[in-house]
């Protein structure tokens, strides 16, 4: 019928879509069901009140700076008995899940928590970056996009990326809006069908990166779902020259490293670390075919053995795995291949996952810590370059 897209039946049909974008790459028709789900949610929002759980997640980038300052209070949910069960009744967040822990310090380039180590001054790996004739190290400007998730919950990943890039000879700046407010890709708003709010964030981002884009400076991100929003949904929300210019300059951390290797600006091994890495790919990394770049970046570490988990979506899929009504489905997805592979891994095997949600699914489902590739590379450099 004429209102099929906005119907309760369509909303129920799309409920179990985890927006993995596998259909975009693997289906012969190439239909992007993740975008379809956004449209279905947007249509539903026109006739219903947005559920509190969806509203909390959608507006996360807006209230994050304030919540971080009250991290002790925001983190009480998983420390005070009974609060997890209360959050399930009030907001639909599964009491069986631990929520990400807010970090008061956040992230800014050049600003570190008291007592934390830095590799920025260590130049042991700089010789790996050279000009085409191999004479002297070259410096190149890059801009880091500090996404909401890593900034507020795992800033050590961003610090690690800055350390690696600096050690390799790059000058790192941070993307900020003119007001100094952190930029956001709008992903959380899209996940709730709030397209207008997401478009507003996209406009802010476009303005913030304009000086970098005009100079052709690469924009490097760590969270796959956020970074690929710049290369995909931005083009749909704000079609035009501005977003078209951003797309080719937007790189995932490892994708940038691999591109620099291909361009001859990074040569040879940069560090040595005898270890095995079990690597899980984020769905969007697979959809946009950048997993080979992740392996190439890790391949710069001499002695590193890399095994890629043959897995589908981890099952967490943003807020999907935190919802009480989809928790069991989320865990069942993880048990298909990823979680059993992690449990079988030797205790000294490094578990690698770039996705924020993926790392939390692995922790909840296996008790193992998964690390962003940037941290793995930084730790290898800390042991000394080859």
């Amino acid at each position: 019928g004429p209102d099929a897209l906005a119907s309760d039946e369509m909303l129920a049909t799309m409920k179990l879509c985890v927006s993995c974008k596998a259909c975009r790459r693997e289906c012969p028709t190439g239909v992007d069901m993740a975008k379809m789900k956004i449209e279905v949610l947007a249509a539903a929002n026109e006739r219903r009140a947005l559920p509190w759980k969806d509203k909390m997640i959608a507006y996360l980038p807006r209230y994050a700076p304030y919540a971080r300052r009250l991290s002790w209070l925001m983190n009480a949910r998983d420390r005070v008995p009974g609060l997890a069960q209360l959050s399930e009744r009030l907001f639909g967040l599964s009491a069986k899940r631990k929520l990400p822990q807010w970090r008061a310090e956040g992230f800014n380039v050049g600003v570190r928590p008291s007592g934390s180590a830095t590799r920025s001054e260590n130049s042991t790996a700089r010789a790996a970056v050279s000009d085409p004739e191999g004479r002297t190290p070259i410096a190149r400007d890059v801009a880091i996009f500090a996404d909401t998730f890593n900034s507020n919950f795992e800033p050590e990943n961003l610090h690690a990326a800055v350390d690696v890039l600096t050690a390799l000879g790059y000058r790192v700046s941070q993307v900020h809006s003119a007001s100094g407010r952190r930029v956001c890709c709008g992903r959380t708003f899209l996940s709730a069908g709030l397209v207008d709010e997401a478009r507003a964030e996209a406009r802010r981002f476009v303005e913030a990166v304009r000086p970098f884009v005009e100079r052709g400076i690469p924009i490097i991100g760590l969270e796959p779902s956020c970074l690929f929003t710049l290369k995909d949904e931005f083009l749909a929300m704000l079609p035009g020259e501005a977003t078209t210019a951003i797309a080719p300059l937007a790189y995932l951390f490892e994708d940038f490293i691999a591109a620099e290797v291909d361009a001859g600006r990074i040569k040879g091994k940069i560090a040595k670390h005898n270890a095995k890495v079990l690597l899980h790919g984020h769905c969007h990394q697979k959809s946009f075919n950048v997993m080979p770049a992740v392996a190439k970046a890790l391949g710069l570490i001499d002695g590193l053995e890399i095994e890629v988990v043959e897995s589908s979506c981890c099952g967490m899929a943003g807020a999907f795995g935190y919802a009480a009504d989809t928790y069991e489905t989320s865990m069942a997805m993880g048990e298909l291949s990823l979680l059993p592979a992690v449990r079988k891994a030797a205790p000294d095997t490094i578990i690698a996952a770039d996705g924020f949600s993926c790392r939390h699914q692995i922790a909840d489902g296996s008790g193992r810590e998964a690390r962003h590739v940037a941290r793995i590379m930084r730790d290898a450099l800390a042991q000394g370059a080859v």
Side-chain angles (χ1 to χ4, degrees):
D3 297 321
L5 191 68
S7 67
D8 289 338
E9 291 82 2
M10 183 63 81
L11 194 61
T13 298
M14 298 300 291
K15 182 177 182 177
L16 295 184
C17 169
V18 294
S19 301
C20 67
K21 289 185 179 282
C23 51
R24 175 187 170 278
R25 178 174 174 82
E26 299 173 12
C27 178
T29 63
V31 174
D32 190 334
M33 292 303 293
K35 284 196 178 82
M36 179 70 77
K37 183 173 184 177
I38 293 171
E39 295 295 345
V40 170
L41 291 171
N45 291 340
E46 293 181 358
R47 60 178 177 79
R48 62 162 192 172
L50 190 67
W52 264 104
K53 173 180 66 65
D54 296 345
K55 188 174 294 187
M56 287 173 57
I57 294 166
Y59 284 89
L60 174 65
R62 300 274 177 88
Y63 65 77
Y66 310 102
R68 199 176 67 240
R69 296 170 190 168
L70 298 173
S71 58
W72 57 273
L73 178 61
M74 299 298 291
N75 294 334
R77 184 261 194 189
D78 292 325
R79 298 174 182 173
V80 178
L83 286 188
Q85 289 74 18
L86 181 63
S87 75
E88 181 170 323
R89 290 197 297 270
L90 293 179
F91 307 117
L93 296 171
S94 174
K96 298 177 182 178
R97 287 280 190 200
K98 290 185 177 180
L99 298 183
Q101 295 293 289
W102 292 87
R103 299 280 289 278
E105 68 270 19
F107 170 82
N108 280 293
V109 168
V111 179
R112 292 172 181 271
S114 176
S116 67
T118 175
R119 289 284 301 169
S120 297
E121 292 79 26
N122 193 318
S123 59
T124 56
R126 287 182 183 272
V129 183
S130 59
D131 65 18
E133 288 73 35
R135 294 187 298 267
T136 57
I138 60 170
R140 185 183 182 196
D141 290 320
V142 296
I144 195 155
F145 163 33
D147 62 274
T148 298
F149 305 104
N150 282 299
S151 290
N152 296 288
F153 302 108
E154 298 183 49
E156 60 271 18
N157 296 329
L158 291 160
H159 286 302
V162 172
D163 288 345
V164 173
L165 291 166
T166 303
L168 291 175
Y170 297 92
R171 292 187 295 257
V172 184
S173 300
Q174 185 174 347
V175 178
H176 281 295
S177 66
S179 65
R181 179 183 161 195
R182 294 183 182 277
V183 293
C184 171
C185 68
R187 167 59 57 186
T188 57
F189 288 114
L190 290 174
S191 70
L194 298 176
V195 179
D196 289 340
E197 296 286 359
R199 187 176 288 112
E201 294 296 335
R203 288 195 179 98
R204 287 183 56 248
F205 191 98
V206 169
E207 287 303 313
V209 300
R210 189 182 301 279
F212 299 110
V213 172
E214 290 175 348
R215 294 168 56 197
I217 293 176
I219 301 161
I220 301 172
L222 270 65
E223 175 58 35
S225 60
C226 295
L227 190 282
F228 285 111
T229 299
L230 314 184
K231 300 172 77 71
D232 188 5
E233 283 83 2
F234 267 32
L235 299 174
M237 290 190 292
L238 296 174
E241 293 182 4
T243 51
T244 301
I246 291 172
L249 290 173
Y251 293 89
L252 272 180
F253 171 76
E254 303 93 334
D255 197 21
F256 174 76
I257 297 291
E260 294 295 273
V261 171
D262 291 341
R265 286 186 282 266
I266 299 178
K267 299 181 179 181
K269 304 294 184 179
I270 64 172
K272 184 175 180 62
H273 182 43
N274 293 319
K276 180 176 180 179
V277 172
L278 184 65
L279 174 63
H280 166 68
H282 185 281
C283 288
H284 293 182
Q285 288 177 302
K286 298 170 186 174
S287 178
F288 288 88
N289 195 32
V290 297
M291 286 304 293
V294 182
K296 179 175 285 190
L298 284 173
L300 293 174
I301 309 300
D302 188 29
L304 210 60
E305 178 188 350
I306 305 163
E307 178 186 348
V308 180
V309 181
E310 293 296 329
S311 59
S312 56
C313 177
C314 74
M316 186 66 90
F320 183 86
Y322 290 102
D325 57 351
T326 49
Y327 168 79
E328 297 297 338
T329 301
S330 167
M331 294 307 299
M333 292 172 68
E335 293 293 348
L336 289 174
S337 52
L338 173 60
L339 295 178
V342 172
R343 293 191 199 103
K344 290 178 183 177
D348 59 349
T349 295
I350 301 169
I351 312 300
D354 280 350
F356 178 79
S357 295
C358 306
R359 292 191 294 274
H360 285 259
Q361 177 76 317
I362 290 169
D364 283 355
S366 71
R368 296 286 297 269
E369 178 195 15
R371 298 182 180 182
H372 194 284
V373 170
R375 284 184 63 194
I376 297 171
M377 295 185 70
R378 190 271 311 278
D379 293 346
L381 282 169
Q383 298 185 31
V386 292

